[in-house]
Amino acid sequence: MTGTFAIVFCGTGAIIIDQTSGGVVTHFGIAMIFGMIVMSMIYALGNVSGAHFNPAVSVAFTIARKFPAKQLLPYILSQLTGALLASIFLKLVFPHNTFLGATIPAGSDLQSFVIELVLTFFLMLTILKVATEGKMRAVFVSAAIGGVVGLEALFAGPISGASMNPARSLAPAVVSGHIHHLWIYLLAPVIGACLAVPCWKLLKGEISVLKTKRQIN
């Protein structure tokens, strides 16, 4: 809950403050803030909750059998609670802001759906790779994942909002009342994250085959 609260508070808060200040934060700044807060929370809370701040990631981890199915619902409820509390807090601080950092497609719904699916696919593939394979230090894991979030927010944010996280999109949409496009940001990240699981398993298989061939030679 704490990690998701921090991500929504800092990330969507940066969007709100950018609007309030006339663009002082900038799009680049917003993207970096999202990446940096994700990186910071993974480093700070990874050993507490496994750094599960995203329902789509938790679902994919469950499918990959890297997370207990019985804990999935409690984790998702905790993530949603943290996100909603952050948006409610921001609403109290910025009562006149219309969207509260909600993700709104700049183009068609289909365009943003595809973008969000692909973005989350690559994010989840990175998470599976760095978080489950080898013994990478926490600082490198958090930097890799935060870097992907910042990168994807930087180039795709102006079109789809680069949410990649159902909790991040649900909270400001519900609190602000702008739920018309919410289905995109609930479905696309979950589908994208789940599609990354078989791809990750395939890549692991290919790596094993290559290692075996090298050993034989």
Side-chain angles (χ1 to χ4, degrees), residues 61-82:
F61 263 118
T62 303
I63 292 174
R65 297 184 178 180
K66 295 294 181 179
F67 187 72
K70 64 181 180 181
Q71 293 185 21
L72 180 60
L73 182 58
Y75 264 63
I76 290 177
L77 290 176
S78 178
Q79 292 158 357
L80 296 179
T81 300

Side-chain angles (χ1 to χ4, degrees), residues 25-51:
V25 181
T26 73
H27 168 61
F28 178 83
I30 292 170
M32 291 302 98
I33 287 168
F34 267 110
M36 291 172 68
I37 189 60
V38 168
M39 178 180 67
S40 300
M41 288 299 101
I42 293 172
Y43 189 74
L45 302 174
N47 64 339
V48 177
S49 64

Side-chain angles (χ1 to χ4, degrees), residues 4-5 7-9 11-12 15 34 53-56 79-80 82-84 86-88 99-105 112 116-117 119-120 157 160-190:
T4 311
F5 177 95
I7 291 168
V8 174
F9 177 75
T12 62
I15 296 172
F34 267 110
F53 314 134
N54 184 335
Q79 292 158 357
L80 296 179
L84 286 168
S87 287
I88 291 170
F99 293 99
L100 296 176
T103 40
I104 307 294
S112 287
E116 288 294 320
L117 188 153
L119 292 178
T120 316
S160 70
S163 170
M164 301 167 279
N165 185 336
R168 173 262 178 271
S169 288
L170 177 68
V174 169
V175 176
S176 69
H178 294 86
I179 61 173
H180 304 88
H181 305 282
L182 184 57
W183 67 273
I184 298 171
Y185 304 99
L186 297 182
L187 292 179
V190 174

